[in-house]
Amino acid sequence: MLYIPCPHCGLRNETEFHYGAEAGVAYPDPNALADSDWAKYLHIRANPKGWLAERWVHFAGCGRWFNLWRNTVTHEIGPAYLPFTEQPKSPGNIGQEGQKV
Amino acid sequence: MTNTNDILAPGIIGRRRAAALPEQPPQLWKSVKRKKAYDIVIVGGGGHGLATAYYLAKNHGLTNIAVVEKGWLAGGNTARNTTIIRSNYLWDESASIYEHSLKLWETLEEDLGYEMFFSQRGVLTLAHSVSDVRSKKRNLYANALNGIDSEWLTPEEVKKLVPIINISEDVRYPVHGATYQPRGGIAKHDWVAWGYAKAASDLGVDIIQGTEVTGFDIRNNKVQGVHTSQGTIAAGKVGMVAAGHSSVLANLAGFPVPIQSRPLQALVSPLLEQVLNTVVMSGAVHVYVSQAHKGELVMGAGTDAFNSYAQRGGFHVIEHQLAAALELFPIFSRAQVLRTWGGIVDVCPDASPIIGLTPVENLFINAGWGTGGFKATPGSGWVMAHTIANGAPHELNKPFALDRFVTGHLIDEHGAAGVAH
């Protein structure tokens, strides 16, 4: 069970949240895109081995979406931040195979 | 092969079954000195990678092959799944490839000359609501059209097949019926991997463990080899068969894949008297359970909600799964959990695998089997071997190309399979 710091409600159990995968994926203009770029927007999300900035919604609390740095190997929790605000620095290297994360 | 010993008579106890396992020979596959170059390098020494190597050697006569594994042979998802085998998928594309796989399973022990305890004890998939019944029946009719054995059982018929199941209406998830695939079943996963490893090694395939692929040698968009923790290995062709780490490898090769890696957990009880002689699955309540050959109950839980490479999951997922399992099987309340573990599953947006070419020439991918890859081990290896040998996909894996996410021809098995894939 992760303990997740909701920016509005504080530290809560993971079971109060839903996951939203990679954060900060901007909605593109569908008319200005090639099919491959649209496919990328629809289906490709970051899946690093290491630190990932990701979205969560606190459905059993404030009901609001926020972003969170979390390590996908150690499950360490980094800083949480609100959408459309400046992203805090990654707590470590964005993990790649063979790199220390 | 249907192993008649596995039609379980009540009262046969686990210890006797354990004693029935044959002795292992001291060495199943050769320890080799790594060569500098191979015609084909397979990245990933799990069931699918080993099967790919075996069918490359057997079906295509290609034997200058190395299987490179970063850990130990079949130490990833091959060793961590709940060993359920079935082919009753909804869509024609899935039904075809999984049925091909099931047909291979039926003769695999003879083919490899190696016992795998493949046991066609049947797979029950429960329906718990009106909409569940509708979608399961739709699945059933689709299976009938595809020539896949599948039948509808009423709650009473389910009870007859599985006497320990609770079919009371007075529970949170009552049993409204089930589809049943009699040809489905289980196999002993380690033995499957060892069988493929032995057969591949006998045909001249080199199995190299403890060697992690850290990059690809790609020149002019053509793969020339792999960089590993033990040095570079030149290769004419490379197949990536790395399950949960497929995104990491694809990134190293410079192209993205629509895969998210999630923990999926399972658990076993201690050895018990035989109480369950078929496989019971319920996508709706996240239960899938069988009783393995020695007598332990093997249960699968759901995936954790988030991306992870940690090979462990949250205990609340296990609790949630067991709560549902206890309602279905009240007798399990007296069993203990012996061990829980997690594997990292590679999930595609449509819950179907990716098998085929990549944007890099001579580099092939077999990934995205998500929560249900074990059953596909033989079929997956078969079509991947064909794809690598011919540089073009087999008829069965054509629909599972990476470019389906651009064309929009997705093979959506989420509704049919749920998490209990």
Side-chain angles (χ1 to χ4, degrees):
Chain A
M1 175 84 70
L2 305 179
Y3 293 113
I4 296 175
C6 171
H8 306 288
C9 311
L11 209 55
R12 298 293 184 93
N13 284 346
E14 169 198 336
T15 45
E16 293 189 13
F17 298 85
H18 282 310
Y19 189 61
E22 182 187 7
V25 180
Y27 186 74
D29 175 2
N31 298 317
L33 289 179
D35 283 356
S36 57
D37 293 324
W38 180 240
K40 204 169 165 187
Y41 166 72
L42 281 183
H43 298 303
I44 305 282
R45 291 294 178 272
N47 188 25
K49 189 175 182 179
W51 287 98
L52 171 64
E54 59 193 14
R55 306 170 74 220
W56 290 85
V57 61
H58 191 191
F59 77 91
C62 58
R64 283 191 269 186
W65 285 95
F66 61 94
N67 301 333
L68 179 74
W69 279 106
R70 188 181 57 87
N71 190 305
T72 63
V73 180
T74 61
H75 292 181
E76 280 171 276
I77 302 285
Y81 59 101
L82 296 178
F84 308 111
T85 62
E86 197 186 336
Q87 184 184 50
K89 230 175 109 241
S90 163
N93 289 333
I94 305 288
Q96 291 297 334
E97 191 70 354
Q99 255 187 330
K100 196 172 153 45
V101 290
Chain B
M1 177 176 75
T2 304
N3 189 335
T4 48
N5 284 335
D6 291 332
I7 310 297
L8 304 170
I12 293 182
I13 60 166
R15 276 193 303 280
R16 271 171 56 197
R17 312 210 115 253
L21 297 179
E23 286 293 312
Q24 287 287 359
Q27 198 172 13
L28 285 171
W29 56 88
K30 291 186 270 297
S31 295
V32 291
K33 197 172 176 308
R34 180 171 58 79
K35 290 192 276 187
K36 283 193 162 52
Y38 290 90
D39 292 341
I40 300 168
V41 167
I42 304 296
V43 185
H48 288 229
L50 293 165
T52 302
Y54 169 69
Y55 290 118
L56 275 166
K58 181 176 178 251
N59 295 355
H60 304 280
L62 302 166
T63 55
N64 186 20
I65 299 172
V67 177
V68 181
E69 164 59 44
K70 77 169 171 179
W72 62 93
L73 186 125
N77 293 350
T78 304
R80 294 161 194 264
N81 69 87
T82 51
T83 79
I84 298 170
I85 296 165
R86 63 187 181 92
S87 67
N88 53 354
Y89 279 72
L90 176 64
W91 299 109
D92 295 351
E93 296 87 346
S94 324
S96 302
I97 196 166
Y98 286 107
E99 177 61 17
H100 178 62
S101 195
L102 180 50
K103 289 211 171 89
L104 290 173
W105 278 112
E106 287 175 327
T107 55
L108 195 57
E109 290 170 313
E110 288 89 340
D111 181 28
L112 298 180
Y114 195 74
E115 176 103 65
M116 293 172 173
F117 298 90
F118 175 59
S119 159
Q120 290 179 296
R121 58 184 62 188
V123 174
L124 265 178
T125 308
L126 303 178
H128 298 283
S129 65
V130 173
S131 68
D132 227 6
V133 169
R134 282 193 194 126
S135 78
K136 295 287 182 301
K137 284 197 172 170
R138 178 190 179 206
N139 207 322
L140 185 85
Y141 300 136
N143 291 157
L145 290 172
N146 280 315
I148 290 170
D149 62 317
S150 193
E151 44 197 90
W152 180 257
L153 302 190
T154 64
E156 292 69 32
E157 289 168 331
V158 170
K159 180 78 177 172
K160 214 171 151 193
L161 196 63
V162 185
I164 60 169
I165 203 166
N166 177 11
I167 55 164
S168 161
E169 276 293 310
D170 194 22
V171 293
R172 174 67 185 85
Y173 295 103
V175 175
H176 285 190
T179 58
Y180 183 56
Q181 183 175 25
R183 286 163 63 241
I186 58 174
K188 230 171 147 48
H189 43 11
D190 291 338
W191 293 58
V192 172
W194 299 337
Y196 272 117
K198 177 182 186 302
S201 180
D202 288 349
L203 291 173
V205 171
D206 284 0
I207 295 167
I208 302 164
Q209 302 178 74
T211 301
E212 180 175 348
V213 168
T214 54
F216 294 90
D217 180 6
I218 296 170
R219 279 170 272 164
N220 299 326
N221 198 41
K222 196 168 177 178
V223 74
Q224 314 280 344
V226 293
H227 305 302
T228 78
S229 52
Q230 313 292 321
T232 297
I233 306 173
K237 294 176 177 179
V238 176
M240 297 180 354
V241 194
H245 278 72
S246 296
S247 295
V248 174
L249 280 181
N251 280 340
L252 289 173
F255 61 92
V257 285
I259 286 174
Q260 300 279 286
S261 297
R262 297 273 165 82
L264 177 65
Q265 297 183 86
L267 61 124
V268 287
S269 75
L271 306 188
L272 300 168
E273 296 269 345
Q274 290 290 345
V275 291
L276 184 63
N277 61 3
T278 191
V279 181
V280 182
M281 306 178 52
S282 164
V285 296
H286 291 194
V287 172
Y288 32 120
V289 57
S290 66
Q291 190 164 16
H293 305 74
K294 284 185 288 184
E296 68 270 40
L297 294 167
V298 181
M299 294 195 208
T303 51
D304 281 66
F306 48 79
N307 291 19
S308 171
Y309 287 87
Q311 291 188 318
R312 63 175 185 275
F315 195 70
H316 64 279
V317 177
I318 298 284
E319 285 181 312
H320 176 76
Q321 190 271 338
L322 281 177
L326 290 190
E327 194 183 64
L328 273 178
F329 303 103
I331 192 176
F332 289 177
S333 65
R334 295 165 65 194
Q336 291 160 317
V337 173
L338 177 69
R339 198 159 58 85
T340 74
W341 65 91
I344 298 303
V345 297
D346 40 337
V347 182
C348 276
D350 57 357
S352 287
I354 300 165
I355 323 158
L357 314 184
T358 71
V360 179
E361 206 180 327
N362 289 345
L363 178 62
F364 304 89
I365 187 168
N366 185 350
W369 289 94
T371 57
F374 177 73
K375 68 175 80 68
T377 303
S380 163
W382 184 284
V383 299
M384 183 65 172
H386 179 104
T387 305
I388 293 174
N390 295 295
H394 187 281
E395 209 51 47
L396 287 172
N397 66 308
K398 244 182 215 164
F400 295 97
L402 186 54
D403 73 2
R404 75 174 183 272
F405 297 97
V406 177
T407 62
H409 285 266
L410 302 187
I411 304 157
D412 182 10
E413 287 290 349
H414 268 298
V419 67
H421 201 311

